[in-house]
Amino acid sequence: MGTAVTAWSIDIEHTCADWFSAPVVHQEAAAGAAAACPVFAGPPSFTLEASVGSANQLDLDLLATGAFGAEVHPDLPIATTWHGLYKQISSRLQGTARRDALAAAAKAQSKAAAVQMMADIASCEEAMDSQGLKPVLHVATVGAQLSSMADISDAMCTAAGVTPSGVRREASEHRPHADALLLVSGSHPVRTLPLLQQFLPGSVAMLRQASQLKQRGVLPQQLQLWAVANPVMEPDASYTEQKVAAGAQVILTQPPLDWARFEAWMEDARRRQLHSAARLLVGFPLLSSAANVTFWGALCGAGGNQQVQQLQQQFAAAEEADKQQQQQQAGKRSQPGPSAFAQQWNSALLQRLQATAGVSGLHLMPITANSKRMALAMAQQGAFTGSAWPLAGKADGSSSSSSSSSSSSSFS
């Protein structure tokens, strides 16, 4: 899986409309949202980030464990250049003919990306069927990137298997369709630049639009709406609360690379009753190397975070120690697989998450072969079963502190 495949993970800008116009979540609405999301029979819930293109055999091995209820298919950025931004803004400032031509080009790009994702879903279903695996729900990521809301709406419809007027497409067209949409602003760096938000739809606006399309009968009523959160970088859970109020039924979080920040965010999410309003699935990347830590830190926008930097140094030191040990044992072939340090760190993180109240489960994001091997070993050992998650979706965290204190000091 390449770096682009986790583009859904970044949702780092907040538009002015996102910040100030969303209502808070009320208890009645929260209960209704949770009841309307039949993704899983009940917490804990586990989802898997899919590889782009043909189904990966290690992914199929993970799905074969039966632990995962859904597979999330990431989007590939549509417009990720400064030129793309220029076209997006200038199209609003130029004459009608020029604006229409640029809009048509952007729409074609957006639709092509959605169609490609449907092809990836079809490839996954075909591979699963050939191996006799039980079906899972498919979640298609729709990223705003630099697209207009009209293009985003068309992409939503394509992923959902309907026309822009809400008519179900023929079985031969863009099938299968997604069971849920993961709506994100995207990873384009210019989304963080000041004064540009007025030109770029954000994730809250996308959720509102999707909810309206469902109300109007354009998008299927059973289509689920998902969103993401970034506990390491967000000061509290207020932005996630806006997303839930706008229609998000499942929240996938960034990896808890800074445990103290994540724990504070979860405490605020519980205070806001978000664990009751939606499923909170924590991103679990199964870190496998120092380079992997660097990748995830950058992807989360947390490359400068002190805890992330210390974690990268710990992985680098462990790799250097392993290298020296291999040199001392010259002539002995090392076995492929994750390092002992990586296994220990990920096991400690798993234990902490299992003991954290309000967490409804995990979204596994293993992008390296060793990460996938660790995930498979955990699944085979029963880590992703209900009995291993006594606090899943619950607000009572009485056992959280004692369990957390026994975890590796690398989280501190």
Side-chain angles (χ1 to χ4, degrees):
M1 186 183 300
T3 58
V5 303
T6 47
W8 67 265
S9 303
I10 296 186
D11 195 27
I12 49 182
E13 106 297 342
H14 307 310
T15 65
C16 294
D18 285 353
W19 274 121
F20 298 114
S21 61
V24 297
V25 179
H26 297 286
Q27 286 294 86
E28 295 82 0
C37 185
V39 187
F40 318 99
S45 308
F46 304 99
T47 61
L48 179 66
E49 183 93 350
S51 299
V52 170
S54 301
N56 182 292
Q57 183 56 51
L58 285 173
D59 287 350
L60 294 173
D61 291 341
L62 283 166
L63 293 171
T65 65
F68 303 96
E71 191 172 30
V72 178
H73 299 264
D75 75 317
L76 295 176
I78 298 169
T80 55
T81 65
W82 286 96
H83 181 59
L85 176 66
Y86 168 77
K87 291 200 300 181
Q88 176 71 14
I89 296 177
S90 64
S91 67
R92 290 163 170 75
L93 306 177
Q94 298 176 357
T96 303
R98 176 62 174 163
R99 182 171 61 248
D100 290 347
L102 291 172
K107 183 175 182 178
Q109 289 178 323
S110 178
K111 185 173 182 179
V115 170
Q116 179 58 52
M117 187 177 300
M118 294 306 98
D120 290 348
I121 292 178
S123 173
C124 177
E125 285 199 345
E126 182 180 353
M128 292 180 65
D129 185 63
S130 68
Q131 297 192 21
L133 304 182
K134 71 175 184 178
V136 297
L137 297 182
H138 293 285
V139 184
T141 305
V142 178
Q145 304 297 353
L146 304 182
S147 300
S148 67
M149 186 59 78
D151 294 338
I152 294 169
S153 297
D154 284 349
M156 292 179 188
C157 290
T158 299
V162 298
T163 67
S165 59
V167 177
R168 175 65 66 184
R169 296 184 186 275
E170 295 295 331
S172 60
E173 293 186 78
H174 315 309
R175 300 286 286 173
H177 60 79
D179 302 292
L181 301 180
L182 177 61
L183 303 178
V184 299
S185 59
S187 57
H188 197 295
V190 300
R191 297 191 66 92
T192 61
L193 297 179
L195 304 179
L196 291 180
Q197 286 87 346
Q198 58 184 310
F199 299 108
L200 305 171
S203 54
V204 173
M206 294 171 69
L207 285 162
R208 293 195 189 111
Q209 176 73 358
S211 296
Q212 292 173 6
L213 291 175
K214 288 179 66 175
Q215 292 173 1
R216 286 160 41 195
V218 175
L219 290 176
Q221 289 299 308
Q222 69 272 22
L223 184 72
Q224 300 156 17
L225 304 180
W226 296 25
V228 302
N230 192 347
V232 174
M233 298 302 293
E234 295 171 9
D236 53 39
S238 60
Y239 191 42
T240 301
E241 186 176 39
Q242 293 181 31
K243 294 180 181 182
V244 173
Q249 298 161 293
V250 176
I251 300 294
L252 306 181
T253 81
Q254 291 277 19
L257 301 180
D258 185 327
W259 183 259
R261 284 179 175 269
F262 171 77
E263 199 168 34
W265 186 93
M266 277 300 305
E267 181 178 355
D268 190 54
R270 291 193 297 268
R271 183 181 66 81
R272 298 172 187 270
Q273 297 295 307
L274 297 185
H275 65 289
S276 298
R279 296 292 177 88
L280 303 181
L281 305 184
V282 179
F284 191 43
L286 294 116
L287 300 177
S288 59
S289 67
N292 201 213
V293 176
T294 300
F295 166 80
W296 281 109
L299 193 66
C300 296
N305 179 283
Q306 183 178 3
Q307 296 302 319
V308 175
Q309 293 176 345
Q310 290 181 358
L311 182 59
Q312 194 276 342
Q313 293 170 2
Q314 290 174 341
F315 268 83
E319 290 171 13
E320 180 61 27
D322 287 345
K323 182 179 179 180
Q324 293 179 0
Q325 183 177 14
Q326 290 176 8
Q327 290 176 346
Q328 294 173 357
Q329 299 176 345
K332 291 186 178 180
R333 175 177 293 183
S334 60
Q335 296 296 322
S339 67
F341 179 81
Q343 295 180 66
Q344 179 186 14
W345 190 91
N346 285 286
S347 294
L349 176 58
L350 178 66
Q351 292 172 13
R352 280 200 162 188
L353 292 172
Q354 289 171 331
T356 300
V359 172
S360 299
L362 301 178
H363 174 57
L364 272 67
M365 302 178 286
I367 64 172
T368 69
N370 279 337
S371 295
K372 295 178 190 294
R373 293 186 182 101
M374 282 189 286
L376 183 59
M378 288 180 175
Q380 293 171 338
Q381 293 166 7
F384 311 133
T385 59
S387 60
W389 294 79
L391 295 180
K394 299 179 181 178
D396 181 12
S398 58
S399 64
S400 177
S401 297
S402 60
S403 297
S404 297
S405 62
S406 63
S407 300
S408 171
S409 60
S410 61
F411 288 102
S412 61

